[in-house]
Amino acid sequence: MNAPLIDPFARAIRYLRVSVTDRCDFRCVYCMSENMTFLPKKELLTLEELDRMCSAFVRLGVEKLRITGGEPLVRRDIMTFFRSMSRHLDSGALKELTLTTNGSQLARFADDLYAAGVRRVNVSLDTLDEAKFARVTRWGRLPQVLRGIDAAQKAGLRVKLNAVALKDFNEDELFTLTSWCASRDIDLTFIEVMPMGDIGNEDRIGQYWSLKDLRAQLADRYTVTDLPESTGGPARYVRLEETGQKIGFITPLSHNFCESCNRVRITCTGEIYTCLGQEGHSDLRGPLRSSESDAVLEDAIRAAIALKPKGHDFDYSRQEVDGQVSRHMSHTGG
Ligand code: SAM
Ligand code: SF4
């Protein structure tokens, strides 16, 4: 049995997020610029390499694997990878295989995902208004995503909605989104917009809607009870007593959540980022490709975990963007 991965702050690493592509069929305004340059395909880990990489982490104690991107479901043949990962669910080593998606391809893949052992999916959706959806995603179409969500629920997947809280954009939809999710038995989590990557002419501070304010608005209409549960991740949860639904808050800006962080991220080119909000990273593709044995890779993983920083430095408190990181969220995988 391999010794588990423990970082310098005694946090056990149990959760891996893997970006399988930097490409996407949307161009969300807070995530990408309209004219993104994507990586040449040869830079990407092949599906076989992704398998080796994830399997190494599973051997080292990772119990939860989230596939993300870019849009993971636009990567060619990605179902082969999901099916292959399901062997770790069957063995019991992996407790959860899941993904974050914009939902555009879910109608096509929901049944296959369920068959591969996926039971929950996070769908990113910031608005239920068709025109606003087209505006915020630039290239997306809301009905396609709604069909995807229907298909996912029909396939038996538990759906969680992730909505980025955007000032002057979806503030007026707080209650619409909340009741829509309640009526469909969908969990809902709000995310504060983070300063990641050049997004063209968009204004970061202008986009920022603090979840403290959002929560206060919820409390005007509902009885909001804090829930003690934590997934080891950044989300904190409340229950709305009137509807019984659970609402999550991911608040990198207004509350620093790093003390319980149990996760690391791999980019589609095989870099490991041990903190979403820092530039520091290490290359794992070199060690992976340098040897057919996984010993070199495992050593490189341990060395990278030994460098996991204490936390991020995002800060808007001085009304300017501090702690910005240069890469886009689609590079590291949200
Ligand atoms: N394409 C998939 C999707 O949209 O769900 C997966 C990748 S996307 C980068 C993952 C998550 O990151 C999405 O929920 C998206 O809203 C969020 N995201 C992207 N850029 C962000 C930013 N600057 N601040 C906060 N969340 C962001
Ligand atoms: Fe694509 Fe997801 Fe980024 Fe939107 S948030 S551009 S869907 S990767």
Side-chain angles (χ1 to χ4, degrees), residues 140-204:
R141 296 289 164 265
L142 181 63
Q144 189 181 345
V145 171
L146 296 181
R147 278 198 297 279
I149 292 176
D150 283 343
Q153 290 195 298
K154 201 155 157 259
L157 298 169
R158 176 102 197 134
V159 176
K160 188 177 93 182
L161 220 73
N162 282 340
V164 178
L166 294 165
K167 195 158 193 64
D168 298 331
F169 178 76
N170 54 11
E171 280 176 295
D172 57 344
E173 286 188 77
L174 175 59
F175 297 120
T176 326
L177 272 168
T178 307
S179 17
W180 187 78
C181 286
S183 70
R184 304 196 45 150
D185 191 24
I186 290 176
D187 293 326
L188 173 60
T189 289
F190 291 101
I191 308 175
E192 282 175 343
V193 72
M194 289 175 251
M196 302 193 65
D198 176 11
I199 50 167
N201 296 327
E202 300 289 331
D203 160 25
R204 287 280 182 207

Side-chain angles (χ1 to χ4, degrees), residues 70-89:
E71 175 47 42
L73 297 180
V74 302
R75 169 103 193 226
R76 186 132 67 103
D77 223 8
I78 194 63
M79 282 307 136
T80 307
F81 172 73
F82 274 100
R83 277 193 290 275
S84 155
M85 283 300 103
S86 68
R87 72 183 187 279
H88 298 306
L89 291 170

Side-chain angles (χ1 to χ4, degrees), residues 254-306:
S254 61
H255 168 84
N256 191 308
F257 47 65
C258 305
E259 67 279 356
S260 59
C261 180
N262 65 352
R263 63 197 58 197
V264 295
R265 295 173 160 84
I266 305 283
T267 68
C268 54
T269 58
E271 295 163 324
I272 178 169
Y273 281 84
T274 53
C275 175
L276 182 62
Q278 298 283 358
E279 302 283 1
H281 60 278
S282 324
D283 172 48
L284 294 180
R285 186 180 60 184
L288 177 100
R289 289 185 176 168
S290 71
S291 158
E292 277 182 16
S293 135
D294 286 337
V296 181
L297 174 63
E298 288 185 13
D299 284 349
I301 293 173
R302 287 189 191 286
I305 301 295

Side-chain angles (χ1 to χ4, degrees), residues 17 24 26 28 30-32 67-72 100-103 122-126 162-164 191-196 199 204 207 329-331 333-334:
R17 291 192 173 210
C24 188
F26 292 1
C28 301
Y30 45 76
C31 181
M32 295 193 180
I67 309 306
T68 177
E71 175 47 42
T100 302
T101 172
N102 65 23
N122 285 7
V123 180
S124 306
L125 179 60
D126 308 323
N162 282 340
V164 178
I191 308 175
E192 282 175 343
V193 72
M194 289 175 251
M196 302 193 65
I199 50 167
R204 287 280 182 207
Q207 291 177 340
M329 186 74 112
S330 54
H331 181 72

Side-chain angles (χ1 to χ4, degrees), residues 36 158 231 241:
M36 289 288 286
R158 176 102 197 134
T231 54
E241 295 303 341

